[in-house]
Each structure stands twice: as structure tokens, then as C-alpha cells.
Amino acid sequence: IMFDCEDVLSLLKPTNLIANGLCSNKTLCHGHDLNDVNSRLSESIDSLRELSRYNNRRKEFAHEQKGSKYKQEKRYSNALRFYREALVITKGLVGEERHPDIADIHVSMATVFKKKSMYDESMRAFEKALSMYEDAIEDEVCEYDRKRCLIIKSADTLNSIGDIYLQKGELDIALEKYHAALLVTEKSIPESEESDEVKSHWSETLNIHWAETLNNLATVHAEKGNVQESLKIHNLALEMQMKYLGEDNIAVANTLNKIATINFKDRNFVVALKVFRQALKMRRKLLGWNHNSVADVLNNLGLVQLMMNQLDVAATTFSKALDVSCTALGKQDLKTADIYANMGFLAEKQNDVIKAIYNFNKARKIYKINGLADDHECVKFVTRGSSDFAASSVVSFLF
């Protein structure tokens, strides 16, 4: 027979033990006042109940930590299992189905679905979380600082939803979500009566988030072919990041990489080369020489050099990118495959057929290991291996 925890605790109260014939007053109290015993035991029961909640909170935290660890290790099925278990525990703790703490776990699960390219599942989880955040924001009893944190979480979730629409090629909807992310944060703009310290803190927080959203908007404009508008918005984001984060910050380096990428796609190779080098220098300084983000910008730099016909220099750069990618991500990662594909394209430009075939085959093997179908653009690129096709598709391998 399964007993509810509260039923068991209630049954243990002395008055209930006696009433149910499970114990006599004399046996239970040993000469002490019944009300005193009842009061003390009630206090003990409250302490046990609080300890139970504390242990469940610890268990929930441990499950979330394990989920995050498995996500970092790309063991996504294990990550989802622990997140789902954390979800059950959290629902028991908060005593309801819709709560910001539950929304946080849905966001974690949504990011895993997104990593697995399960975009529909990811979208549903993000939208469920967003709905819970919005309900909590509208709750009149929610403290103002708590409400501000929820507003930031709502904006982050809207950005994530926009990212999915961007990846699906639904650019107008992505643009709509990014604009919504900007608008929702306006609700947390510091008020005039607040202290200078509070104003400064929240102004900095908001500007950092606005810069991130502006970068997303700029990416959509670039995809729509609005190059100058995209660069204008990216530069505004860069200005905000440098003001509030400082020049030596990874967010600044990432924005520089985006600006260089747009210049590359616009065939402004001289500017792209300069900005990629700046991004490379910053990422090496901030992340170390063997970080996967360093491999990304080395790959991009190699493509610029290739398109500028600096073939020997590009070969050296791609080789460095490959070494870092294999170290940081592994020899069978998709980004490693993309670098092999670019090296195959370079070998074609150098008229080295044997090396081109070798690199294209290495890339194709990794693509197939990762489950890419024969009609995937990356697989078709390395299978056809023609210079004409490569020249038209080379930007697909920018990171």
C-alpha cells in the first residue's frame, strides 16, 4: 500500500495516534502533557518536511547538473533523461505544472533537441517555457527584481525560437521573434526613482542582451541580402559590447567574426581578412590556442586566403584549423569534415587531383558517419568535387 507523505506525517501526530487506537495517552506521553508532546512532534514533522524538500532540491540540482554535463559531452540521450527526471522532481517541489523553475528545465531540454536537429520538439519546449515566463511576469505578487530576471529569460527564449526559424530558412518569422525579444526587454528599463547602482547594473545587463539580439537581426538581414543594413546593425552591437563588456571579451570576438563573414560573402576580401585576423587574435588570447572556436576562425581565414588566390598560405591555415579541430572536437566531428572539404577545394585549385580526392573522401566519410544523407548539400559538394560547384557553395563552410 502506498501512502501519501502528508498522510503519514499527519498520522504520526499524538492526537491522531490516540484517536485511531494506535497508542494510549499513557504509553505515548510518559507523564508529559499531551498538547506539549503534540506541539513538539509537530515541530519535528515540519523539520522533516523541510529536510525532505531540501533533499529533493539537491536531487533536482544534481539531475540538472548531470544533464548539462552530458549535453557538453554531446551525449544527448543521457542529457534528456536526466532533464526529464529533474522535471518530475521540480513539479513535486513547486506543486504545480506551470512555474519558472519548470520553464528553466524546458529550456535546457529545448537546447538539447536543437543540438539533435529536432527542431519541432525544440520549438515546442521553448514555447512552453516562454508561456510560463510570461505568466510569471504578469503575476502581481512577483517581486520586481525577480520579474526583471524573468523578462531577460523571456528575451533569451525568444532569441532561441528566432534561431530555429532562421535555421529553417523562415527569415520573416525569425525577424519577428528577434524584434519581440527587443521589445520585451523594454519592460525592465530602470525607473527614475531607483538608485544609481541599480540603474547602472540593469542598464549594463540590458545593453548586453540588446547587442546579442541585434547580432541576430543582422544575421537575418544578411541572409535576406541586405548587406549594408546587416553591417550597420552588427557594428552597433559591437559598439555596445565594447562599451559594456570591454574590448577583451569573447562576445566582441564573436561579433567581429560575424562582421568578417558578411564582408567575405560580399566579396570584400581585404576587409574580411583583416577582421578575421583580429577575431583570431582575440579568441586565442581569451580561449587558448586549441579551442574549437579558434579552429572556426582559422577555417574562415583560410577560405579568404583561398579566394584571394593565396593558395600556399591557405594550405597552412587549413592545416592549423584541422589540427585544432581534431584536438578540440575530434576527428569525426562535422566541423572537421567541413575543413577537409575546404582542403579538397583548395587542392582542386592547385590542380592536385590526388590530394583533392583524398580530402573529399575524408570529408564524405565523416558526413556519412554523422548520418548526413546523399542529397545533403555537404555530401553532394564532396561527392561531385567539381570546381564550378565548389566555387558556388564555398560559403557553406564558413563557421
Side-chain angles (χ1 to χ4, degrees), residues 17-268:
L17 286 169
I18 296 167
N20 287 284
L22 299 175
C23 188
S24 68
N25 189 345
K26 182 178 179 182
T27 304
L28 179 68
C29 298
H30 293 288
H32 296 284
D33 180 69
L34 175 62
N35 291 331
D36 182 52
V37 173
N38 193 70
S39 174
R40 291 187 182 187
L41 190 51
S42 293
E43 290 175 5
S44 298
I45 290 168
D46 289 339
S47 297
L48 285 171
R49 189 181 291 116
E50 189 61 35
L51 179 61
S52 176
R53 278 196 291 266
Y54 171 73
N55 286 334
N56 281 333
R57 183 63 72 181
R58 286 184 62 190
K59 189 176 180 182
E60 174 217 14
F61 177 75
H63 278 68
E64 284 197 71
Q65 289 294 101
K66 286 180 180 178
S68 299
K69 178 176 177 290
Y70 282 126
K71 182 172 69 174
Q72 282 187 325
E73 295 174 353
K74 300 184 180 181
R75 297 165 67 181
Y76 297 131
S77 296
N78 287 339
L80 285 172
R81 178 166 64 87
F82 279 101
Y83 283 140
R84 287 187 176 111
E85 290 177 11
L87 194 62
V88 173
I89 297 168
T90 305
K91 286 180 179 179
L93 284 167
V94 300
E96 55 182 295
E97 290 288 322
R98 298 177 59 80
H99 189 276
D101 290 352
I102 295 172
D104 291 344
I105 300 174
H106 279 298
V107 167
S108 297
M109 293 173 67
T111 58
V112 176
F113 287 132
K114 187 177 172 184
K115 292 283 187 182
K116 290 167 67 70
S117 299
M118 299 169 66
Y119 296 127
D120 291 340
E121 291 85 348
S122 181
M123 184 78 75
R124 282 194 291 270
F126 276 131
E127 288 177 341
K128 190 177 291 186
L130 179 63
S131 175
M132 293 182 197
Y133 290 143
E134 289 173 342
D135 285 351
I137 290 168
E138 296 303 319
D139 189 345
E140 293 182 359
V141 300
C142 182
E143 293 181 1
Y144 193 49
D145 282 346
R146 171 68 168 161
K147 187 172 290 190
R148 276 176 162 161
C149 291
L150 293 172
I151 288 169
I152 296 298
K153 287 183 177 183
S154 294
D156 288 343
T157 306
L158 281 164
N159 272 314
S160 296
I161 293 171
D163 291 344
I164 295 175
Y165 281 114
L166 177 61
Q167 287 181 302
K168 293 171 71 175
E170 299 181 43
L171 302 182
D172 290 334
I173 302 179
L175 208 59
E176 177 189 318
K177 298 300 178 183
Y178 294 142
H179 278 299
L182 284 176
L183 290 173
V184 76
T185 51
E186 290 182 1
K187 297 178 182 178
S188 62
I189 292 175
E191 298 180 351
S192 57
E193 66 270 15
E194 292 184 290
S195 68
D196 290 341
E197 184 179 353
V198 170
K199 288 179 184 177
S200 176
H201 168 73
W202 280 107
S203 293
E204 180 178 330
T205 301
L206 285 172
N207 276 279
I208 292 168
H209 278 78
W210 282 336
E212 181 184 346
T213 307
L214 286 172
N215 273 330
N216 292 336
L217 285 168
T219 300
V220 177
H221 282 293
E223 290 295 317
K224 291 167 75 76
N226 304 326
V227 174
Q228 294 308 312
E229 181 68 14
S230 177
L231 287 172
K232 177 183 174 182
I233 297 172
H234 271 315
N235 280 305
L236 177 59
L238 182 66
E239 184 180 330
M240 294 169 73
Q241 288 171 333
M242 292 177 72
K243 178 179 178 180
Y244 290 98
L245 297 173
E247 294 184 11
D248 284 339
N249 188 279
I250 195 60
V252 173
N254 293 341
T255 302
L256 286 170
N257 188 69
K258 294 175 189 292
I259 291 171
T261 298
I262 293 171
N263 277 286
F264 175 86
K265 291 181 178 181
D266 200 38
R267 303 189 71 81
N268 193 351

